[in-house]
C-alpha cells in the first residue's frame, strides 16, 4: 500500500484547507493509483476536491464532464481564485475562444478541462482529445452528476449514455464517477453504463450534521412564521413553492415586507431567470422564492435556510432540495411546512395519472413524505432510513429531538372516533366523521340520518383540527385504514377493534408552539459580529470587482475564523483554513488591514456614562449600541452608523432591556402598542413572537413585540 504523506501539504497549498473531509484522502489515494472510482457523497460532502487535487498531482489533463453550464463556470471561477489552471468548453463560447482554449490545453497550460457531455462526444472534439492524449496525456475522466446516466435517477440525460464509448476509445484512462444520489439501483446503473472496471466504491454517510430539520404545520399564521424565519436567519435563503403562481405571490408579499427577494421559475424569460440567479449567487439579493426548477447546478455553499412552503414530491427530492442548505458545513436550517390540504392536492394529481404503475409509485412516495412530516421520532432516522442507512436517533439537531412532543392519552377520544366510523358503516371520509362527532347540521348528515346515531355530537369539546390530528395519527399508527381510490374512505382494522374493546390505548404526540432560538451564542460571538460584517463587505467589494460570487473569495467559515483569531501578520493569516497560497498573496493584506482597523478602534473604548452595576455583563457591541441609543439615535441610524443590520440592533436593545440597562422603551415602541403587547404576554406567557403577532395583527411589528417581551421577561424574572 502506497502512502502519500504530502497530501495534506498539497491540500493546504492549493485549496487552503487544513484537513481532508471524511473519505477524501482515501479516494484521492485511489485516484493517484489510477483506479476507477465510484464516489457517492451527499451534497456539500466535498466531491469536487476528490478529482481536483489528483488532477494537480498527476501528469496530463483531467477532463471533467458536467451537465450544466452554470456549474462549470462556477467551479472554474473557484479554481482560478486558487490559481489553478482550469477552463471550460461549452456552447456559450464563440469559435475564437474555443480555439484559443484548445491551444492552451495542447500547450499543457491547463490541468482541468470542464466539458458538457454532448461536446465531449462530438465528431470534432474526439480527434482533439486524441491529440491531447498524444501530446500531454489524459490523467482521468471525472463524470460529475453521474446519476444522469441512469433512467432510475431523477434527471436522466440520454447524452450521458454515450459516455461508455469513451471507455472504448481510451481504455487505459481511469474514470471517476461522482454523484449525490443514494439509491442502490442508480449506483449499479452508473457502474454498468459507464463501464467502470473493478471500481473502488466510496459511499459516504448521508447524514448532514450541520442541518437542522424541522416540520411545522401550515396554519393560518404560516406566512408570519415564514417571515420570522427569514428575518431571524441571517444569510441566503431558498423558499420552494409548488407552482409559479404561488412563487410570484410569495415573492410579492416578502418584498412588501421589506425582504430582499426574487422569483425563479420556468415561466420567466431566460434572461430574467439567469439574472435573478446571478443576483442571488452574488449576494445582491438574499431570498430566492422558486419552484423546484431552481437549484440543480447551484453550488452556492452559504445558503442558510431552505424552506419548503409546499409538500415535496418524495423524500429523495426533499433530501436533495433541502440539502442545498449549508454545503459549507456551517449550521443551517431546513423547514418543511405541512398541511392536510397539500396532501389532498397531491392525491388529486396522482389520481389524474393514467399509468397504474406510476400511480402506485407516486402514492408510495407520498406516503413516505407524510410519514416523515407526521413522524414523532428523529427526522434523521426517517430520512436516512429511506436511503438504507441506519441512524440511531437522538441527533440533537432536529425538532423532534430538541423539542419532543409530549404524549397524551387520547384513548377515549379514539374510541369515540372509531365507533363513529363503525356506525357510519365504514363508508365515509374523515371530514364527515368529524362533522358527525361535532354535531354538524349539513345535508349529508341529515340525508344519511347520521344525526340519529349515538355518536352524533359527542365530540363537541374538540375542534375540527384536533379531531383531524387524532384521525391522522390513528392512520399513522395503523389503527385505522383509508382507501386509496381517491375518496379516502375510512375503514376499520383489527387494531381499531382492539381500541374500541379497550384492549389497546392510544397516545397522541401533541404539537407545541415552537420557539425560534437565536443561534447567537456567547457575548463574544456578538462582539465578533461587527468585524464579521466589515469583512463581509470587503469580500463583497472584492467579488464585485472581479464579477464573481463572494464565496469564491473566501467562505463564511474562513471569515468567521478571521474574527475569532484576529490574525495580525500574514504568517498568522496563512494558517487559517481556507487560505491557500494564492489567496494569501491576493487578499491577505487587504483583510489584515480591515482586521487591524477594527482592533484599533476596539482598544480605544469610550465607555458610556451612567451605567448600572451589571455593565460588565455587556459585550462591547452592546455597549456601543447603548451609547448611541442614549445619544438619541434611532434604530435605523444606529444600524447605518455601525454598518450592521437593524435587526441586530433590535436584538442588542432587547438584550439590554433584559439586562436592566437604561433603554427608553417609549422611544422605540408607542405606548399604546406596549400596553397591548403586554396584555397578551400576561395571558399567553413567554412564547414565540408569531402567535403574539397573530393576536395583534399586522400593524404590530415583530421588533416591537420583541422589545416589549424583553421588558416583560425582565419584570417577570424578579
Ligand atoms: P459537493 O460537490 O460534494 O456538493 P463540493 O465539492 O462543492 O461538494 O464541496 C462543498 C464545499 O466544501 C465547497 O465549498 C468546498 O470548497 C468545501 N470543501 C471541500 N473539501 C474541503 C475540506 N477538506 N475542508 C474544508 N472545506 C472543504
Ligand atoms: Zn433528531
Amino acid at each position: 500500500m502506497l502512502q502519500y504523506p504530502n497530501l495534506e501539504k498539497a491540500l493546504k497549498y492549493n485549496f487552503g484547507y487544513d484537513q481532508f473531509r471524511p473519505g477524501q484522502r482515501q479516494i484521492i489515494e485511489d485516484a493517484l493509483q489510477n483506479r476507477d472510482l465510484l464516489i457517492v457523497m451527499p451534497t456539500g460532502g466535498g466531491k469536487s476536491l476528490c478529482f481536483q487535487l489528483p488532477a494537480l498531482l498527476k501528469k496530463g489533463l483531467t477532463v471533467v464532464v458536467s451537465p450544466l453550464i452554470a456549474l462549470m463556470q462556477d467551479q472554474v471561477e473557484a479554481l482560478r481564485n486558487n490559481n489553478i489552471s482550469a477552463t471550460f468548453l461549452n456552447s456559450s463560447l464563440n469559435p475564437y475562444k474555443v480555439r484559443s482554449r484548445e491551444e492552451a490545453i495542447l500547450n499543457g497550460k491547463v490541468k482541468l478541462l470542464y466539458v458538457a457531455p454532448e461536446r465531449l462526444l462530438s465528431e470534432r472534439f474526439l480527434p482533439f482529445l486524441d491529440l491531447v492524449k498524444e501530446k500531454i496525456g489524459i490523467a482521468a475522466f471525472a463524470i460529475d452528476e453521474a446519476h444522469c446516466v441512469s433512467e432510475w435517477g431523477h434527471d436522466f440525460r440520454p447524452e450521458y449514455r454515450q459516455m461508455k464509448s469513451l471507455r472504448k476509445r481510451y481504455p487505459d484512462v481511469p474514470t471517476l464517477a461522482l454523484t449525490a444520489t443514494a439509491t442502490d439501483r442508480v449506483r449499479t446503473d452508473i457502474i454498468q453504463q459507464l463501464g467502470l472496471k473493478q471500481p473502488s466504491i466510496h459511499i459516504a454517510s448521508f447524514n448532514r450534521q450541520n442541518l437542522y430539520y424541522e416540520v411545522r404545520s401550515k396554519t393560518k399564521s404560516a406566512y408570519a412564521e415564514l417571515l420570522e424565519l427569514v428575518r431571524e436567519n441571517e444569510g441566503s435563503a431558498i423558499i420552494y413553492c409548488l407552482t409559479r403562481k404561488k412563487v410570484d405571490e410569495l415573492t410579492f408579499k416578502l418584498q412588501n415586507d421589506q425582504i430582499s427577494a426574487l422569483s425563479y421559475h420556468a415561466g420567466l424569460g431566460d434572461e430574467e431567470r439567469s439574472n435573478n440567479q446571478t443576483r442571488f449567487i452574488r449576494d445582491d439579493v438574499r431570498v430566492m422564492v422558486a419552484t423546484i426548477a431552481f437549484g440543480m447546478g447551484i453550488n452556492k455553499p452559504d445558503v442558510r435556510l431552505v424552506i419548503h412552503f409546499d409538500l415535496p414530491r418524495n423524500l429523495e427530492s426533499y433530501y436533495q432540495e433541502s440539502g442545498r442548505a449549508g454545503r459549507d458545513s456551517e449550521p443551517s436550517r431546513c423547514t418543511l411546512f405541512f398541511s392536510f390540504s397539500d396532501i389532498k392536492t397531491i392525491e388529486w394529481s396522482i389520481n389524474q395519472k393514467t399509468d397504474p404503475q406510476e400511480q402506485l409509485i407516486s402514492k408510495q412516495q407520498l406516503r413516505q413524505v407524510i410519514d416523515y412530516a407526521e413522524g414523532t421520532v428523529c427526522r434523521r432516522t426517517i430520512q436516512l432510513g429511506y436511503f438504507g442507512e441506519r441512524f440511531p436517533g437522538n441527533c440533537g439537531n432536529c425538532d423532534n429531538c430538541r423539542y419532543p412532543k409530549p404524549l397524551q392519552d387520547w384513548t377515549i377520544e379514539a374510541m369515540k372516533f372509531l365507533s363513529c366510523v363503525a356506525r357510519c358503516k365504514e363508508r365515509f371520509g374523515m371530514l364527515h366523521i368529524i362533522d358527525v362527532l361535532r354535531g354538524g347540521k349539513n345535508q349529508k348528515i341529515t340525508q344519511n340520518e347520521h344525526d340519529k346515531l349515538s355518536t352524533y355530537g359527542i365530540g363537541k369539546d374538540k375542534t375540527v383540527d384536533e379531531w383531524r390530528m387524532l384521525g391522522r395519527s390513528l392512520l399513522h399508527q395503523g389503527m385505522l385504514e383509508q382507501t386509496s381510490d381517491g375518496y379516502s374512505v375510512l375503514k376499520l382494522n383489527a387494531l381499531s377493534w382492539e381500541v374500541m374493546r379497550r384492549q389497546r390505548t392510544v397516545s397522541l404526540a401533541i404539537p407545541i408552539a415552537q420557539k425560534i432560538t437565536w443561534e447567537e451564542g456567547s457575548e463574544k460571538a456578538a462582539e465578533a459580529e461587527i468585524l464579521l460584517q466589515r469583512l463581509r463587505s470587503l469580500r463583497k467589494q472584492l467579488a464585485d470587482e472581479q464579477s464573481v460570487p463572494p464565496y469564491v473569495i473566501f467562505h463564511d467559515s474562513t471569515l468567521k475564523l478571521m474574527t475569532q483569531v484576529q490574525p495580525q501578520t500574514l504568517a498568522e493569516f496563512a494558517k487559517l483554513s481556507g487560505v491557500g497560497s494564492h489567496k494569501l498573496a491576493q487578499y491577505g493584506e487587504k483583510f489584515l488591514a480591515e482586521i487591524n482597523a477594527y482592533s484599533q478602534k476596539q482598544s480605544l473604548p469610550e465607555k458610556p456614562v451612567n451605567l448600572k452595576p451589571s455593565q460588565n455583563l455587556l459585550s462591547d457591541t452592546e455597549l456601543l449600541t447603548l451609547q448611541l441609543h442614549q445619544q438619541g439615535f434611532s434604530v435605523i441610524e444606529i444600524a447605518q452608523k455601525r454598518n450592521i443590520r437593524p435587526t441586530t440592533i433590535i436584538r442588542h436593545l432587547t438584550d439590554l432591556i433584559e439586562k436592566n440597562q437604561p433603554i427608553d422603551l417609549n422611544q422605540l415602541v408607542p405606548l399604546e402598542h406596549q400596553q397591548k403587547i403586554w396584555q397578551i404576554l400576561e395571558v399567553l406567557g413567554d412564547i414565540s413572537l408569531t402567535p403574539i403577532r397573530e393576536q395583534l395583527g399586522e400593524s404590530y411589528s415583530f421588533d416591537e413585540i420583541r422589545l416589549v417581551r424583553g421588558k416583560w421577561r425582565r419584570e417577570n424574572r424578579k
Side-chain angles (χ1 to χ4, degrees):
M1 191 61 204
L2 274 177
Q3 287 294 317
Y4 297 93
N6 286 326
L7 284 182
E8 269 80 9
K9 264 195 191 147
L11 177 70
K12 176 68 187 166
Y13 180 83
N14 290 294
F15 295 93
Y17 301 133
D18 297 333
Q19 282 178 345
F20 286 105
R21 293 253 181 91
Q24 283 178 333
R25 196 179 209 282
Q26 185 60 50
I27 292 169
I28 290 167
E29 289 183 6
D30 284 350
L32 289 174
Q33 294 187 49
N34 291 326
R35 289 199 60 172
D36 277 359
L37 276 153
L38 171 64
I39 300 159
V40 186
M41 266 190 198
T43 307
K47 284 187 284 300
S48 324
L49 200 89
C50 297
F51 59 83
Q52 288 170 346
L53 190 60
L56 300 179
L57 299 176
K58 285 170 79 171
K59 254 176 53 138
L61 178 75
T62 294
V63 180
V64 186
V65 182
S66 175
L68 288 160
I69 292 181
L71 211 69
M72 283 183 209
Q73 286 174 340
D74 208 71
Q75 290 219 0
V76 168
E77 264 164 17
L79 285 167
R80 288 206 178 139
N81 239 275
N82 277 319
N83 206 28
I84 293 167
S85 58
T87 192
F88 62 82
L89 291 174
N90 63 32
S91 49
S92 73
L93 302 171
N94 62 36
Y96 172 76
K97 271 206 167 148
V98 171
R99 210 161 320 125
S100 79
R101 288 187 183 188
E102 286 180 352
E103 236 160 67
I105 293 167
L106 288 174
N107 289 327
K109 293 202 176 117
V110 176
K111 292 306 292 178
L112 283 136
L113 168 67
Y114 285 75
V115 283
E118 50 276 17
R119 170 171 296 262
L120 183 68
L121 299 161
S122 69
E123 297 280 311
R124 201 178 118 16
F125 193 76
L126 286 174
F128 169 72
L129 261 192
D130 289 343
L131 204 59
V132 173
K133 183 157 194 301
E134 197 185 300
K135 278 191 80 174
I136 59 164
I138 300 176
F141 291 111
I143 318 291
D144 209 358
E145 313 286 351
H147 57 272
C148 292
V149 83
S150 170
E151 273 174 307
W152 299 105
H154 40 85
D155 20 52
F156 173 54
R157 299 199 154 212
E159 319 81 273
Y160 262 69
R161 275 287 159 92
Q162 288 144 30
M163 218 90 79
K164 208 170 186 171
S165 60
L166 270 187
R167 256 283 92 122
K168 297 219 177 81
R169 197 168 177 121
Y170 310 106
D172 51 336
V173 177
T175 300
L176 295 81
L178 304 105
T179 180
T181 297
T183 59
D184 262 346
R185 204 166 216 172
V186 176
R187 289 175 204 165
T188 325
D189 223 15
I190 293 173
I191 295 177
Q192 259 174 21
Q193 295 295 337
L194 294 178
L196 300 185
K197 282 181 288 193
Q198 295 167 339
S200 160
I201 301 176
H202 294 263
I203 299 167
S205 164
F206 272 63
N207 182 13
R208 305 268 314 274
Q209 286 168 356
N210 60 317
L211 301 186
Y212 175 74
Y213 291 104
E214 66 171 349
V215 180
R216 297 170 176 232
S217 51
K218 197 155 125 191
T219 57
K220 275 194 232 90
S221 65
Y223 175 73
E225 280 188 44
L226 176 130
L227 193 60
E228 195 179 347
L229 279 169
V230 170
R231 288 199 169 129
E232 290 297 336
N233 288 272
E234 279 196 43
S236 302
I238 303 175
I239 304 174
Y240 284 111
C241 301
L242 205 58
T243 62
R244 299 171 190 185
K245 186 161 159 271
K246 285 192 181 170
V247 167
D248 287 334
E249 283 169 5
L250 189 58
T251 311
F252 183 73
K253 271 172 116 170
L254 287 169
Q255 286 170 346
N256 255 341
D257 280 311
Q258 268 73 51
I259 301 289
S260 123
L262 285 174
S263 329
Y264 188 102
H265 56 66
L268 302 176
D270 282 352
E271 196 178 320
E272 187 175 2
R273 233 179 17 210
S274 96
N275 269 342
N276 289 2
Q277 176 166 327
T278 308
R279 290 181 63 193
F280 177 69
I281 289 174
R282 301 221 171 136
D283 290 346
D284 293 327
V285 64
R286 199 161 78 81
V287 179
M288 189 63 108
V289 188
T291 58
I292 49 166
F294 179 74
M296 171 73 169
I298 303 300
N299 250 341
K300 192 170 169 42
D302 48 10
V303 175
R304 291 283 153 260
L305 173 67
V306 173
I307 296 179
H308 280 73
F309 209 44
D310 293 311
L311 214 55
R313 291 160 302 161
N314 55 54
L315 260 195
E316 162 126 30
S317 326
Y318 182 65
Y319 178 85
Q320 302 293 357
E321 287 151 18
S322 62
R324 288 174 187 138
R327 276 168 174 254
D328 55 6
S329 299
E330 295 285 307
S332 308
R333 182 185 279 262
C334 307
T335 305
L336 168 64
F337 281 91
F338 170 72
S339 77
F340 302 120
S341 61
D342 279 358
I343 301 177
K344 287 274 163 237
T345 315
I346 296 185
E347 271 174 351
W348 183 85
S349 73
I350 291 176
N351 285 323
Q352 304 307 302
K353 293 187 194 241
T354 43
D355 181 353
Q357 180 65 17
E358 235 180 87
Q359 252 193 25
L360 208 69
I361 293 174
S362 303
K363 276 185 186 154
Q364 192 186 346
Q365 288 179 334
L366 176 63
R367 185 73 248 154
Q368 287 161 336
V369 174
I370 298 174
D371 281 349
Y372 174 77
E374 292 190 330
T376 50
V377 299
C378 176
R379 305 272 179 215
R380 283 187 160 69
T381 304
I382 307 176
Q383 258 185 24
L384 295 172
Y386 175 76
F387 295 126
E389 202 176 318
R390 275 183 53 117
F391 185 79
N394 272 327
C395 74
N397 202 22
C398 76
D399 52 353
N400 285 343
C401 289
R402 259 200 226 165
Y403 314 104
K405 298 184 179 76
L407 285 181
Q408 273 181 16
D409 186 347
W410 277 54
T411 310
I412 302 289
E413 287 79 4
M415 287 166 68
K416 290 182 184 173
F417 190 100
L418 294 171
S419 54
C420 192
V421 173
R423 304 215 186 250
C424 293
K425 306 218 159 55
E426 302 178 53
R427 280 176 38 226
F428 295 85
M430 181 142 5
L431 279 183
H432 182 75
I433 299 297
I434 295 174
D435 270 347
V436 175
L437 282 167
R438 299 190 75 250
K441 295 204 170 25
N442 60 42
Q443 212 186 358
K444 201 163 163 188
I445 288 182
T446 39
Q447 258 173 13
N448 290 290
E449 302 197 335
H450 284 168
D451 45 358
K452 307 224 165 71
L453 297 177
S454 60
T455 51
Y456 180 75
I458 59 169
K460 285 185 182 148
D461 56 327
K462 295 264 179 283
T463 64
V464 175
D465 280 345
E466 283 170 322
W467 282 118
R468 184 143 50 181
M469 183 173 70
L470 172 66
R472 303 279 334 160
S473 179
L474 288 171
L475 284 168
H476 200 67
Q477 299 183 52
M479 301 178 190
L480 179 66
E481 310 282 329
Q482 189 173 33
T483 61
S484 46
D485 53 0
Y487 296 100
S488 307
V489 173
L490 295 181
K491 301 274 178 194
L492 302 170
N493 62 19
L495 294 188
S496 322
W497 288 104
E498 285 181 21
V499 173
M500 285 188 277
R501 281 190 228 111
R502 280 189 169 273
Q503 290 162 341
R504 178 176 285 275
T505 58
V506 179
S507 319
L508 209 60
I510 303 297
I512 40 172
Q514 281 185 31
K515 280 190 187 174
I516 296 183
T517 41
W518 293 340
E519 299 284 329
E520 199 170 43
S522 58
E523 303 278 303
K524 198 148 181 243
E527 209 171 300
E529 200 177 330
I530 311 174
L531 177 55
L532 189 60
Q533 298 291 354
R534 289 178 67 156
L535 297 176
R536 279 213 178 105
S537 30
L538 172 61
R539 175 177 72 171
K540 174 72 175 132
Q541 183 196 327
L542 293 169
D544 285 349
E545 282 166 16
Q546 301 177 44
S547 302
V548 295
Y551 62 79
V552 168
I553 311 283
F554 284 122
H555 278 185
D556 281 1
S557 52
T558 308
L559 293 193
K560 280 194 189 150
L561 279 175
M562 289 182 205
T563 65
Q564 282 157 19
V565 180
Q566 302 202 3
Q568 301 297 316
T569 63
L570 277 176
E572 284 170 15
F573 193 81
K575 287 199 191 121
L576 303 177
S577 177
V579 181
S581 58
H582 185 67
K583 288 187 178 174
L584 177 68
Q586 201 78 343
Y587 310 121
E589 299 282 6
K590 289 182 180 132
F591 280 85
L592 275 182
E594 194 67 36
I595 294 166
N596 241 322
Y598 165 82
S599 44
Q600 257 159 28
K601 219 176 181 180
Q602 290 302 99
S603 57
L604 304 168
E606 305 160 41
K607 292 285 175 194
V609 284
N610 292 338
L611 280 183
K612 301 231 167 149
S614 57
Q615 61 168 284
N616 54 357
L617 288 175
L618 306 185
S619 64
D620 286 357
T621 181
E622 285 173 349
L623 274 176
L624 201 56
T625 298
L626 174 58
Q627 201 176 4
L628 291 166
H629 170 77
Q630 287 186 316
Q631 287 168 18
F633 291 107
S634 72
V635 172
I636 299 293
E637 285 164 342
I638 302 176
Q640 277 165 357
K641 268 182 187 300
R642 302 193 49 191
N643 192 23
I644 50 186
R645 299 186 314 142
T647 45
T648 310
I649 303 296
I650 295 282
R651 216 175 273 186
H652 292 163
L653 291 168
T654 310
D655 286 348
L656 287 162
I657 292 173
E658 279 194 50
K659 290 174 185 167
N660 207 13
Q661 295 302 315
I663 298 294
D664 182 8
L665 195 57
N666 298 339
Q667 202 181 308
L668 301 164
V669 185
L671 204 58
E672 188 202 342
H673 278 203
Q674 285 184 43
Q675 285 164 347
K676 277 271 161 57
I677 297 168
W678 195 274
Q679 279 169 5
I680 302 270
L681 282 163
E682 291 287 303
V683 177
L684 296 179
D686 193 348
I687 55 168
S688 65
L689 303 173
T690 307
I692 302 178
R693 177 139 185 274
E694 209 177 303
Q695 300 281 330
L696 291 165
E698 307 260 313
S699 58
Y700 287 71
S701 74
F702 282 110
D703 289 345
E704 288 177 334
I705 300 170
R706 168 166 293 150
L707 287 161
V708 177
R709 189 179 61 178
K711 182 171 170 192
W712 188 86
R713 280 181 177 167
R714 184 183 79 204
E715 302 294 312
N716 283 277
R717 222 179 19 226
K718 280 178 189 164

